[in-house]
Amino acid sequence: MRFFPLLLATLALAQPVAVPGWVRLVPSVVKDTAAYLTLENRGKTPLRLVGAETKVAERISLHQDHREHRGGQVVLGMRPLPYVDIPPRSKVEFRPGKYHLMLEGLKRPLKAGEKVELTLRFADGTRLKVILPVEMR
């Protein structure tokens, strides 16, 4: 029973929880789409999301939308990120205009209402499975 307190301490450190989200429905000829959700860290230590995987796409990358002012015009774009940190006892929103998970190289067209399973990977080895509906928004 010596390990019981250590196990409880480890469980309290970092606990990712995903609030339901969605995957954007795109036309069948488009090979990339985005997934959105909110990640909550209920633990006492930071969490670092480093990647994700799914069976419906070749890869998933982390992105952040951004705006730049060039020549008097606003240019919208997105930047790939190596990771996203979730501070202790806080939430990070993946939503249009902010962070998103980019599903790249869709292996087949997605259908409205279907459920897509993603496995989120964290730097500490934690894996979190989420199931998101495909929606037109």
Side-chain angles (χ1 to χ4, degrees), residues 40-115:
E40 181 179 356
N41 180 358
R42 294 183 178 171
K44 296 178 181 178
T45 60
L47 278 170
R48 178 169 280 182
L49 179 66
V50 295
E53 51 203 46
T54 183
K55 292 180 181 178
V56 301
E58 292 177 17
R59 70 193 152 279
I60 297 178
S61 56
L62 307 171
H63 281 83
Q64 182 175 27
D65 291 344
H66 72 94
R67 295 173 182 245
E68 281 182 37
H69 294 276
R70 280 194 224 152
Q73 300 212 0
V74 176
V75 179
L76 303 176
M78 60 181 162
R79 293 187 176 130
L81 301 170
Y83 56 84
V84 174
D85 286 328
I86 303 121
R89 294 190 170 96
S90 66
K91 298 176 185 179
V92 172
E93 290 184 72
F94 287 70
R95 62 178 170 80
K98 195 164 175 153
Y99 297 115
H100 61 276
L101 298 164
M102 194 75 189
L103 284 69
E104 301 174 79
L106 291 172
K107 296 177 180 178
R108 61 174 177 76
L110 301 178
K111 298 177 185 144
E114 100 173 77
K115 307 284 189 213

